[in-house]
Amino acid sequence: MKTFRILAFDGGGVKGALSVEILSRICDKYQNFLDDVDLFTGTSTGSIIASLLANKVSIKDLSYLYSVPVAKKFFLTPTSIYFVLSLIILI
């Protein structure tokens, strides 16, 4: 029977940045790590990460998404809903 590999990400806003950083370090050590994953899943911010990874968005781009300047724009401006919609359109 084939092994089915699932990579799940937790929710919780800023924890997404930690998840991306840990994943980045894993991928630095094991370059083909994500190639062996059969299913990406997550809750809340984890679902954003999972969706982007499933659509082959790079770890570098994910790190940028969870960077301080982008997070400030996302959480501190009244136009943040447009930012979220632009991400959804990318997927």
Side-chain angles (χ1 to χ4, degrees):
M1 184 154 81
K2 181 183 183 303
T3 302
F4 195 75
R5 294 186 174 104
I6 301 171
L7 184 58
F9 296 93
D10 196 9
V14 74
K15 283 196 273 183
L18 180 62
S19 296
V20 170
E21 179 60 28
I22 291 170
L23 181 62
S24 176
R25 292 180 185 203
I26 290 170
C27 289
D28 285 344
K29 190 167 184 173
Y30 306 100
Q31 280 80 31
N32 297 329
F33 178 77
L34 294 176
D35 296 337
D36 295 332
V37 176
D38 297 307
L39 176 69
F40 297 98
T41 187
T43 302
S44 189
T45 194
S47 66
I48 295 170
I49 295 168
S51 297
L52 293 171
L53 286 172
N55 283 285
K56 306 295 184 197
V57 173
S58 71
I59 299 295
K60 181 180 176 182
D61 289 341
L62 279 175
S63 294
Y64 175 73
L65 176 64
Y66 283 90
S67 67
V68 173
V70 175
K72 282 183 180 179
K73 182 177 180 179
F74 181 73
F75 291 110
L76 299 178
T77 64
T79 59
S80 62
I81 188 63
Y82 299 114
F83 181 72
V84 172
L85 290 174
S86 68
L87 288 176
I88 293 170
I89 291 169
L90 289 175
I91 297 172

